[in-house]
Amino acid sequence: MMPKPHSQKFPNRNNGGDREFHGDDFRGGNRRVSFKPGRNRSDHTHRIKDYTKALRLHLEEEDIDMNIGGAGGGFVKNYRKGKRGRGGRQSSPNPIEMRRCLVGPTGWYRVTIPYGDKYEKSFILKFLLEKIQPLPLCPVAWQTAGSSVIFYVDEYKVADKLLSLDRKFQLPSGFKLVIRVHPGTPNVDLTPEVKEKMKVAMARRYNATTKALDLTKFHADPDLQDHFCAIFKPVVFITVLEIIEANIPFLEAICLNDNKLGVFGFLKKVSKRFPHIKILHLSNNKIRDIMQLDTFIGLPIVDLFLDGNPLCDKYKDQNSYISEVRRKFPKCMKLDGIDLPPPIGFDIAQETNLPDPQQTFLCNTEGEAIVKQFLEQYFLIYDSKNRQPLLAAYHENAMFSFTTAYPYGLGKDKNVSWLNWYQTENRNVFKVVDIDRRCKLLKQGQLSIVSFLQDMPDTKHDIQSFTVDLTLFTSQMLCLSISGIFKELNTGHKIPPTRFFFRTIVIVPAGSGFCIANEEYHITNATPDQAKEAFKTPSLPQPASGTAAPPSTPEASPVIHAVASPIVDNGARQEMVNQLALKTGMNLEWSIKCLDGNEWDYNRACAIFQNLFSQGKVPPEAFIK
């Protein structure tokens, strides 16, 4: 007798009913699976949920009150009164009602209206303006892309209000208005036609009587609304300044309010291009740091507006704010519309100018001859391939310190000559904090110093660029500061790097001459202006056959204050002879005569040769080799 079929039951968790599974169908010939329907299960066709009606009801619900603290409980109360779904659950808030516009980094927003090409521009603008009142609507760069209409607005409140209109109102076509809003700015395309329109708009905004130009919210100008001419874009701002420079060179006042300006680093030489600007208005922009105003340093600003910028919130009190502004614009007498107290200054009846800068300063004219001859001989050897003769130029217990750094604002960049060679010996005490390393980088003794100088790259100094200051002159000591330009040679660069140096030297008597007891040596890159002006002094003309060299006569050897110096040894003299022969074209014999007749003063020998050569007094045999 076969056993009674075993049955298993599984609970139906949806409606509480049971399903029975009959395991006997797995035994025997015809295998079959059958389910016994539960007690609360309806027909199979009714088990598929239809979400269409629920979604339609969800989208057509009444607006949700966002006033949290308003009468009647605001949003919380209305939310609790919302419809309840199956099982008594509360319905969710309408996602369309809860949507807010994202805040963009530039403050500009792109508005897209799908299928907006079916309507006239005037109709859409009038329709939107009525719905967002009292907010203004100023669309910029209106365009049609396929079937969509796209334009841009520059106010978050306007963008958010436009987004709130999405699917709220029905258009004449029977469809609801769809509006999409995202942060974004259009591309800038400054064609000649657009530049001409900008010029016309600026001419209309210029007041010739007061020499003032009002560029407030320039992108919203009616003549420019079809284009994107926002001044915060560097290419637009540069174009605006070019138009001003070409047409309004004597501009005295400019207003740049409400243009979302944040940075000005791309503007160059503003004070030189517009030296007459006295009034500058920059209210309601995005200037976050007062350092951005460094671009305008040098302008004679007397009236400045900065209110409405984030930088104004950085100062705890008004005095600090005024102090920072006056540090950059000392003549400023009006800030944000408030008259400032007169700046603290010296009681001088009339304005006086500082004395003209001098290339050379001598605290004592008696030191001129010593300084001149010492430096000429020193740098003549330094620029040679053998710097060993400089051993005689340093005291046996001399001390030497070297530092290097990139110029301010011209740091390590692919377009800047790197200072990598010098970095390993950089004794900048702000960076080298370890005492042992500081002592190790300090060169002590003439052998250590000259060995370091010999390892440095080959150089060629521009003597005419030197600035020399003799700040101390006594019978026991001279203190000297020298700065100038030189080029590095044989470094593998196509264009030799141009460097700037600054050396402070303490010179003491030694035997019949002088030597260096202490030196601080600093090297950096030359600025573009320094490099542009370097090595402009023309070299001596090459002599032609039939001309003569200066004879050793009293006429060619004026009396100078000769100073015996231990650094003029045989090696140094031979190097000077070779250099003079190469530069003048004279043979070695006459080069020696020229130098000997001028007390081995190389520069003086060159000057005497040039003078006599121009007068035709150099004999032909001086050039026979």
Side-chain angles (χ1 to χ4, degrees), residues 529-547:
D529 291 339
Q530 290 172 337
K532 186 178 179 181
E533 296 297 325
F535 296 95
K536 279 194 171 183
T537 304
S539 59
L540 294 175
Q542 293 295 330
S545 177
T547 57

Side-chain angles (χ1 to χ4, degrees), residues 359 375 379-380 382-383 387 407 410 417 419 422 457-468 481-489 495-503 521-537:
Q359 189 170 9
L375 293 180
F379 283 101
L380 181 65
Y382 190 92
D383 284 346
R387 294 172 180 162
L410 301 173
S417 298
L419 298 169
Y422 304 101
D458 295 341
T459 59
K460 181 181 179 182
H461 286 76
D462 180 12
I463 303 296
Q464 300 301 323
S465 71
F466 280 17
T467 297
V468 181
S481 296
I482 315 108
S483 62
I485 304 295
F486 70 92
K487 285 187 177 181
E488 286 183 6
L489 307 179
I495 301 177
T498 303
R499 313 289 195 192
F500 175 84
F501 76 91
F502 185 88
R503 305 176 82 155
Y521 191 3
H522 179 79
I523 289 180
T524 184
N525 281 326
T527 65
D529 291 339
Q530 290 172 337
K532 186 178 179 181
E533 296 297 325
F535 296 95
K536 279 194 171 183
T537 304

Side-chain angles (χ1 to χ4, degrees), residues 436-479:
D436 293 336
R437 178 157 178 78
R438 286 184 182 181
C439 294
K440 184 178 179 180
L441 291 174
L442 188 64
K443 313 299 179 185
Q444 303 182 50
Q446 58 186 168
L447 290 175
S448 176
I449 296 171
V450 176
S451 176
F452 172 71
L453 297 177
Q454 182 65 40
D455 292 338
M456 295 181 74
D458 295 341
T459 59
K460 181 181 179 182
H461 286 76
D462 180 12
I463 303 296
Q464 300 301 323
S465 71
F466 280 17
T467 297
V468 181
D469 294 326
L470 179 63
T471 56
L472 177 66
F473 180 81
T474 67
S475 59
Q476 300 298 322
M477 182 186 299
L478 287 77
C479 186

Side-chain angles (χ1 to χ4, degrees), residues 175-426:
F175 294 95
K176 288 191 175 181
L177 174 67
V178 177
I179 299 181
R180 299 169 185 165
V181 181
H182 302 282
T185 56
N187 296 326
V188 178
D189 185 16
L190 295 183
T191 62
E193 178 187 358
V194 176
K195 290 182 180 180
E196 189 61 29
K197 288 185 177 181
M198 290 173 60
K199 185 176 178 180
V200 173
M202 291 170 64
R204 192 178 64 255
R205 290 166 170 252
Y206 177 64
N207 188 330
T209 304
T210 58
K211 296 181 180 180
L213 178 63
D214 185 5
L215 297 181
T216 301
K217 215 166 188 178
F218 186 61
H219 54 270
D221 191 280
D223 293 342
L224 303 175
Q225 279 190 324
D226 292 337
H227 311 280
F228 185 61
C229 299
I231 294 182
F232 79 91
K233 290 288 187 179
V235 65
V236 179
F237 204 163
I238 291 173
T239 302
V240 166
L241 294 184
E242 289 175 351
I243 295 174
I244 295 174
E245 190 174 16
N247 300 275
I248 323 174
F250 299 102
L251 183 69
E252 294 184 1
I254 185 169
C255 181
L256 297 169
N257 296 344
D258 298 296
N259 280 296
K260 301 189 183 298
L261 294 167
V263 294
F264 304 97
F266 54 87
L267 302 179
K268 304 298 181 183
K269 300 180 179 179
V270 174
S271 60
K272 293 182 179 180
R273 297 168 63 188
F274 312 100
H276 306 289
I277 293 182
K278 300 178 181 179
I279 301 174
L280 179 62
H281 290 192
L282 293 168
S283 299
N284 301 321
N285 282 293
K286 293 190 173 185
I287 307 172
R288 297 186 177 277
D289 198 298
I290 200 165
M291 289 182 62
Q292 292 296 334
L293 301 182
D294 289 353
T295 301
F296 304 104
I297 289 179
L299 293 176
I301 301 296
V302 296
D303 188 352
L304 179 66
F305 271 81
L306 295 173
D307 59 309
N309 284 283
L311 71 87
C312 297
D313 299 329
K314 297 178 66 174
Y315 299 97
K316 297 180 179 180
D317 56 79
Q318 188 73 3
N319 291 334
S320 301
Y321 175 45
I322 295 173
S323 177
E324 283 294 326
V325 170
R326 272 194 164 161
R327 190 173 300 174
K328 299 184 182 298
F329 308 105
K331 297 181 180 181
C332 184
M333 299 300 297
K334 198 171 187 178
L335 180 60
D336 297 338
I338 301 174
D339 292 331
L340 302 181
I344 300 175
F346 298 101
D347 296 330
I348 301 177
Q350 58 182 3
E351 184 175 349
T352 57
N353 297 324
L354 293 174
D356 295 332
Q358 299 179 3
Q359 189 170 9
T360 300
F361 170 77
L362 300 172
C363 65
N364 191 328
T365 55
E366 295 180 6
E368 180 178 4
I370 300 175
V371 170
K372 183 175 181 180
Q373 188 174 1
F374 189 90
L375 293 180
E376 286 174 352
Q377 294 174 5
Y378 182 93
F379 283 101
L380 181 65
I381 299 173
Y382 190 92
D383 284 346
S384 67
K385 292 186 178 180
N386 181 21
R387 294 172 180 162
Q388 291 302 320
L390 290 177
L391 283 168
Y394 286 90
H395 193 276
E396 60 180 355
N397 296 320
M399 305 195 70
F400 178 94
S401 177
F402 176 81
T403 59
T404 185
Y406 289 94
Y408 177 77
L410 301 173
K412 191 173 181 180
D413 187 79
K414 63 180 181 179
N415 298 323
V416 175
S417 298
W418 290 5
L419 298 169
N420 291 357
W421 190 95
Y422 304 101
Q423 292 290 357
T424 55
E425 299 293 334
N426 186 11

Side-chain angles (χ1 to χ4, degrees), residues 500-518:
F500 175 84
F501 76 91
F502 185 88
R503 305 176 82 155
T504 301
I505 300 174
V506 176
I507 301 174
V508 297
S512 59
F514 298 85
C515 64
I516 299 173
N518 193 295

